[in-house]
Amino acid sequence: MHAAEEMRVLSVNVGTPRMAPYGNATVTTSIWKSPVTGRVAVRGHNLEGDRQADLTVHGGRNKAVYLYPAEHYEYWANELAEELPFGAFGENLTTLGLLEERVRIGDRFRIGSSVLEVTQPRMPCFKLGIRFGRPDMVKRFWLAGRPGIYFSIAEEGELGAGDGIEQVGEGPEAITVAEVVRLFRGDESDPEKFKSALRSPLSGSWKQEIEDRRRGLAAAAQAKP
């Protein structure tokens, strides 16, 4: 993990539900986020001024705050041939130094006076395609292996752009956000990684999907002559 002085918030982004065209219909989405200045309260299951449109799949305790590494923006600028503003991926926090390859499920970070706990990667939905005006964006995002990181709010407080990020706790298992995605996709088959993921405080449906993948690999191995 980077030293605390190398990890910081570059942008805090919030948004509220709006209507967007989708085929012959319209849907409600909060994926459009805009940078805000000053201190922002972190409380309940949200940042002040931010609200999710569909709480069945977004928001709630384990998806209270979404972070996307600024390091990924160069990749997407090359992929999409356009410069993107911070908040383009619907993230609440655009940060430097906090990457999926280094962050473990259950790690805790102090940002401003708040403490956030890593809960899961992001599974992209069709609204990402609406945001970018590209039906293939969900597939591109998934294949890129740059999912961003969801957090729960372990301690309420406030934060702002420019704040340093300090790790204040480690997850109980040696399983990173990036490894969770690789296990889910079938790119990782290390039995110990499967065990770590299933023992970790990984939230959402990820554990069941990873367990199904583990059982499938085990059954395939047994079926070999």
Side-chain angles (χ1 to χ4, degrees), residues 48-204:
E48 183 179 22
D50 193 62
R51 190 157 56 91
Q52 290 84 14
D54 184 355
L55 292 175
T56 63
V57 291
H58 301 292
R61 179 185 182 278
N62 293 319
K63 293 182 179 178
V65 179
Y66 177 53
L67 177 153
Y68 204 66
E71 289 89 341
H72 297 338
Y73 271 80
E74 181 178 359
Y75 169 86
W76 288 112
N78 292 330
E79 277 285 303
L80 304 176
E82 64 174 302
E83 293 297 322
L84 300 170
F86 288 156
F89 292 90
E91 77 269 22
N92 300 116
L93 303 178
T94 316
T95 60
L96 190 66
L98 214 59
L99 294 169
E100 298 94 337
E101 290 285 354
R102 304 187 184 109
V103 174
R104 295 180 176 184
I105 301 298
D107 281 355
R108 288 191 172 196
F109 297 90
R110 184 175 300 281
I111 308 177
S113 59
S114 66
V115 175
L116 307 180
E117 181 173 321
V118 177
T119 58
Q120 60 182 287
R122 176 195 193 165
M123 176 68 73
C125 77
F126 72 97
K127 292 179 180 179
L128 192 65
I130 295 175
R131 167 65 181 82
F132 283 88
R134 304 180 63 112
D136 66 344
M137 191 59 195
V138 172
K139 183 178 180 180
R140 279 175 173 261
F141 188 86
W142 183 240
L143 294 177
R146 293 168 167 82
I149 305 164
Y150 271 118
F151 295 82
S152 63
I153 298 171
E155 293 182 20
E156 297 182 337
E158 62 177 27
L159 50 74
D163 281 354
I165 302 172
E166 176 191 6
Q167 185 167 359
V168 294
E170 288 190 351
E173 295 292 331
I175 187 75
T176 68
V177 172
E179 287 169 335
V180 167
V181 172
R182 288 198 289 270
L183 286 169
F184 182 94
R185 297 196 319 188
D187 301 332
E188 170 70 70
S189 58
D190 182 349
E192 292 306 313
K193 290 299 180 184
F194 276 104
K195 291 177 183 177
S196 290
L198 294 171
R199 288 193 302 255
S200 77
L202 178 65
S203 66

Side-chain angles (χ1 to χ4, degrees), residues 14-16 40 47-51:
V14 301
T16 54
V40 178
L47 299 187
E48 183 179 22
D50 193 62
R51 190 157 56 91

